[in-house]
Every structure is written in C-alpha cells, then in structure tokens.
C-alpha cells in the first residue's frame, strides 16, 4: 500500500529507522522522571501510595509513548521535529519536577504539563500535516481523546484527596485504553492499524528496550546511592548490595537475553507492526513499572537489611518481581506464542512466599527472590540453547 509523503516524515526506503541523538537526549528527561517516581513510592509505601504511583507512572509513560510514535513517523533530525522535541523536554522536565508534590501543592503544575505535552504535540502534528495526508485523520482522533482526558486531568488538579486520585485515574484510563479501540470518536470514526499506524517496527521495539535500560539503571543507582550513604560498610551491607545487584542482573538477563531479541524479530517481520507496537507498549508500561517497584525494594534492602518487613515493603520486594515476570511471560506469548513455564512457576513460588514474608528480614527475602530469578535465568538459557534457530 502506498502512502502520501511529507517532507518531515522518515524515509521508509531505508532498511530501518535508527534512533537519533535527539531521541536519546529526550529520554534523559525520563531518566529523571523514573528517579522521581521511585523516590515518591519509597516514601508512600501504602495502598494509596501505590495507586498514586501507578497513575503518575502511566502519565509519564504515555507522554513518552506518544512522542515515540511521533518520532517513528517523523524524522527527528528535521528542524521542526527537533525543536518540538526540545520544547517537550522542557515541559517534561517541569512535569517530572512536580511529581513529589503532584497530589498536594503542585497538582495543577503536573496536570497542566501533561496536558500541554499531549495536546501541544498533537496539535503541532495536525497543523503540519495536510488534511489529505493518510496520517491526518488518525492524529485528529488522538487529539479528540486527549481533549477528553484533559477535562479529567484539569478537574482533578483543582480537586483534593481521593477525588483527585479518582479523576486522574479516569484520565489515565482514557489515554491508555483509547488506542485499543482505534481512538474511535463519533463523526471521525476509528483508526485502522494496518492502514494508519504505518510505523517502523524495529525502531519502536528498540525505543522500548532503551526505556527498559533506563529502569534498570534506576535499580542500580538506587542500590549505589544507598550504599554511598553509609559511613561504615559492614558485611551485612555488602551482602545486601551484592544480592540487589544480582537481582537486577538476573532481571536484565530474563528480558534481554531472549525476550527483547524475539520481540525485535517479530515486529520487523509482521505485516501489521502498528497493532503489535500497541501491544508492546501496553505490556512495557507494566514491565517497566514493575522495575521501578523493584528499585524501591532494592533501596529498602540496602538501607535496612535486618529490619522488619512491612506490607508495603513486601509488595515492593516480592510483588514487583511477580509483576515483572508476569509481564515478561505475556511479552513472550505475544512474540513467540510460547508459555514461559519458568516464569509461571517462579510467580507461583513467589506468591507462596508472601504469606510468610514477615518471618524474614529484607536481606533474607531479597536473597530468596534472587534465587528464584537465577533459577529462571538458568532454565531459560539452557532452553534457548537447546532450541535450534529457525
């Protein structure tokens, strides 16, 4: 199928769209945002704090995700798109800076920045595109849905307490679920993924993998920052750091040794990469969110290796790994149509540990989690070597 051209679009005659330096610079804002989110959760380890964290994290991810789709279609090396990225970076920096007080004094700042990113970027693209361009109807539908969610974002910003949480939850659900039914709007119809989401799949997969690296960086930085705060490094602290680092390395191995490579191959060959790209991002927001929770767990272990376990700490140290393994198993099912039995068994084992978690200290519980991850890594590595490449 031939598509109308535009001087700002990437050339699809190239073998694949490469990630530009402008995009890598743009991602630095989200390195900061992930750090802000992990520190927010660290100080709000109760059910309300986790819910608030989920809402903030989904907002951060959705702002990044939609920008990533824009730079997949539009060449970030052109002056117009590069300037757009830089403006979005500035607004994103302010949004990330407001995260610690998003549910108190800076709710208006956070909501206004998020709405400005989503509406502003989409308005610019609609303005740049000719009305007859095949991408134009899609972006008009996206703009319509961002206008709908903006109502809830702004209304929530001027509300307080549980009402703000509720309104922002509705806003996040609007932005997260609207692509799943093609941004349908009365009068504008529905976007058809095979015709209007003409993305370069390899680029989108690589961008997702780079964000996963950002999240892994946070798990390592949280561990290192906690270690640096101690004047005396005794054996217990060193053990805690080694185990936390082992956890991070094992989680990295589980994703990058098999899952990410399979995902890149799948999206490169499939006839409808736009639909698969949507599935990838729908999974990765959960997967990366789990890594942020795991980063908080690592900091708890290093700071209080022999302390008592709390409900919030148990969820960070065991719930985070469970969510990470579950999202990885879904990712493998989508890419390879295979059930990752090692992941399923590991999830069952970790779930079984939860009722007994209070009988362990953080160091012991983290060591058990590390052993489970190592078992998954060993099994997946052996299995991957035993299956011949197609």
């Amino acid at each position: 199928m031939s598509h109308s051209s535009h001087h700002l679009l990437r050339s699809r005659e190239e073998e694949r769209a490469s990630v530009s330096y402008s995009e890598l610079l743009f991602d630095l804002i989200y390195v900061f945002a992930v750090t802000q989110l992990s520190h927010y959760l660290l100080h709000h380890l109760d059910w309300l704090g986790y819910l608030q964290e989920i809402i903030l994290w989904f907002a951060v991810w959705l702002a990044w995700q939609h920008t990533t789709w824009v730079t997949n279609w539009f060449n970030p090396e052109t002056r117009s798109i590069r300037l757009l990225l830089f403006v979005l970076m500035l607004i994103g920096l302010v949004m990330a800076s407001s995260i610690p007080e998003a549910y108190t004094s800076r709710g208006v700042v956070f909501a206004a920045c998020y709405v400005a990113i989503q509406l502003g970027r989409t308005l610019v693209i609609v303005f740049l595109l000719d009305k007859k361009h095949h991408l134009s109807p899609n972006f008009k539908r996206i703009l319509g849905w961002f206008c709908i969610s903006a109502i809830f974002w702004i209304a929530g910003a001027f509300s307080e307490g549980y009402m703000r949480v509720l309104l922002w939850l509705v806003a996040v659900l609007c932005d997260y679920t609207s692509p799943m039914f093609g941004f349908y709007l009365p009068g504008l119809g529905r976007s058809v993924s095979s015709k209007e989401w003409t993305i370069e799949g390899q680029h989108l997969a690589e961008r997702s993998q780079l964000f996963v690296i950002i999240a892994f960086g946070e798990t390592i930085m949280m561990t290192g920052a906690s270690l640096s705060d101690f004047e005396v490094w005794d054996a217990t602290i060193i053990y805690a750091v080694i185990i936390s680092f082992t956890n991070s390395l094992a989680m990295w191995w589980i994703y990058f040794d098999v899952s990410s490579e399979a995902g890149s191959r799948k999206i490169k060959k499939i006839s409808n990469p736009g639909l698969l790209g949507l599935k990838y991002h729908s999974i990765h927001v959960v997967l990366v969110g789990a890594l942020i929770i795991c980063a908080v767990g690592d900091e708890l272990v290093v700071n209080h290796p022999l302390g008592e376990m709390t409900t919030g700490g148990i969820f960070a140290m065991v719930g985070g790994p469970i969510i990470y393994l579950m999202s990885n198993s879904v990712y493998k099912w989508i890419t390879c149509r295979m059930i990752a039995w090692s992941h399923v068994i590991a999830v069952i084992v970790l779930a079984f540990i939860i009722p007994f978690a209070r009988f362990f200290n953080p160091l012991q519980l983290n060591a058990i989690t590390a052993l489970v991850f190592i078992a998954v890594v060993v099994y997946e590595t052996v299995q991957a070597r035993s299956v011949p490449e197609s």
Side-chain angles (χ1 to χ4, degrees):
M1 177 179 178
S2 61
H3 298 293
S4 47
S5 61
H6 192 281
H7 68 282
L8 295 177
L9 289 174
R10 288 181 183 264
S11 173
R12 295 308 189 198
E13 295 177 357
E14 300 175 3
E15 182 179 349
R16 59 181 293 270
S18 59
V19 177
S20 68
Y21 293 121
S22 301
E23 293 172 278
L24 294 176
L25 180 65
F26 175 79
D27 283 352
L28 292 179
I29 296 300
Y30 291 87
V31 174
F32 174 55
V34 167
T35 299
Q36 290 283 79
L37 286 164
S38 60
H39 281 86
Y40 181 88
L41 182 58
L42 183 65
H43 296 97
H44 298 83
L45 284 173
D46 53 26
W47 72 267
L48 180 59
Y50 274 105
L51 179 58
Q52 291 173 335
E53 171 83 0
I54 290 169
I55 293 171
L56 295 175
W57 160 238
F58 268 70
V60 167
W61 173 269
L62 289 165
W64 177 87
Q65 172 184 316
H66 283 274
T67 304
T68 297
W69 280 66
V70 166
T71 56
N72 187 286
W73 276 310
F74 293 85
N75 188 356
E77 295 304 312
T78 58
R79 184 173 300 175
S80 299
I81 303 304
R82 181 178 288 179
L83 288 175
L84 174 61
L85 277 180
F86 292 163
V87 172
L88 294 177
M89 283 180 64
L90 176 59
I91 302 173
L93 178 63
V94 178
M95 183 180 78
S97 300
S98 68
I99 285 175
E101 307 297 331
Y103 289 98
T104 53
S105 59
R106 290 181 180 151
V108 174
V109 175
F110 181 86
C113 287
Y114 177 83
V115 170
I117 289 172
Q118 301 289 50
L119 279 180
R121 180 193 56 243
T122 313
L123 277 169
V124 169
I125 298 302
V126 170
F127 174 79
L128 291 174
L129 286 174
D130 185 88
K131 292 181 179 180
K132 296 181 180 179
H133 196 278
H134 77 280
L135 292 177
S136 184
N138 180 58
F139 277 99
K140 289 178 181 178
R141 297 183 192 104
I142 294 173
L143 179 63
W145 272 102
F146 282 149
C147 288
I148 293 171
S149 69
I151 296 172
F152 295 99
W153 281 112
I154 300 303
F158 287 98
S159 303
E160 296 181 355
Y162 293 122
M163 183 56 66
R164 177 176 296 182
V165 174
L166 177 61
L167 289 170
W168 280 5
L169 179 60
V170 173
V172 160
L173 288 173
C174 285
D175 290 341
Y176 180 67
T177 61
S178 55
M180 298 177 185
F181 47 85
F183 302 104
Y184 174 79
L185 285 172
L188 291 177
R190 182 191 314 270
S191 297
V192 180
S193 59
S194 60
K195 297 180 180 179
E196 295 176 269
W197 297 352
T198 52
I199 63 167
E200 205 287 318
Q202 178 74 10
H203 172 269
L204 203 67
E206 186 175 349
R207 297 292 285 123
S208 297
Q209 292 157 13
L210 288 171
F211 207 118
V212 174
I213 286 289
I214 290 173
F216 275 119
E218 180 62 18
T219 65
I220 294 172
M221 284 191 294
M222 290 281 270
T223 300
S226 298
L227 176 62
S228 67
D229 289 338
F230 286 94
E231 292 184 3
V232 178
W233 294 357
D234 59 25
T236 302
I237 299 299
I238 298 300
Y239 291 153
V241 169
I242 292 173
I243 294 171
S244 294
F245 179 78
T246 301
N247 262 329
S248 298
L249 186 60
M251 288 189 292
W252 178 91
W253 198 291
I254 289 169
Y255 178 83
F256 280 100
D257 191 53
V258 178
S259 299
S260 65
E261 183 181 350
S264 297
R265 290 198 304 265
K266 178 79 171 182
I267 202 168
K268 189 174 182 180
K269 297 177 181 178
I270 199 168
S271 59
N272 188 355
L275 181 59
L276 188 59
L278 172 61
K279 294 178 180 179
Y280 276 15
H281 275 165
S282 299
I283 295 168
H284 274 80
V285 64
V286 180
L287 188 150
V288 178
L291 286 174
I292 295 174
I293 296 174
C294 291
V296 173
D298 287 342
E299 181 154 350
L300 289 173
V301 173
V302 177
N303 283 332
H304 310 285
L306 302 180
E308 294 184 1
M309 293 305 308
T310 63
T311 301
I314 291 170
F315 187 82
M317 295 177 59
V318 184
I322 287 176
I323 297 171
Y324 179 76
L325 287 167
M326 290 176 65
S327 55
N328 258 290
S329 63
V330 174
Y331 186 37
K332 286 187 177 182
W333 171 255
I334 289 176
T335 55
C336 305
R337 281 294 184 265
M338 61 173 285
I339 299 176
W341 288 110
S342 63
H343 296 40
V344 174
I345 295 171
V347 167
I348 294 172
V349 171
L350 290 173
F352 178 77
I353 292 170
I354 291 176
F356 308 98
R358 291 186 183 275
F359 294 102
F360 301 100
N361 60 44
L363 182 60
Q364 293 168 335
L365 190 60
N366 210 31
I368 294 171
T369 305
L371 289 174
V372 172
F373 275 132
I374 291 171
V376 173
V377 168
V378 171
Y379 177 84
E380 291 293 318
T381 302
V382 172
Q383 185 187 50
R385 289 177 179 176
S386 64
V387 176
E389 294 185 5
S390 56

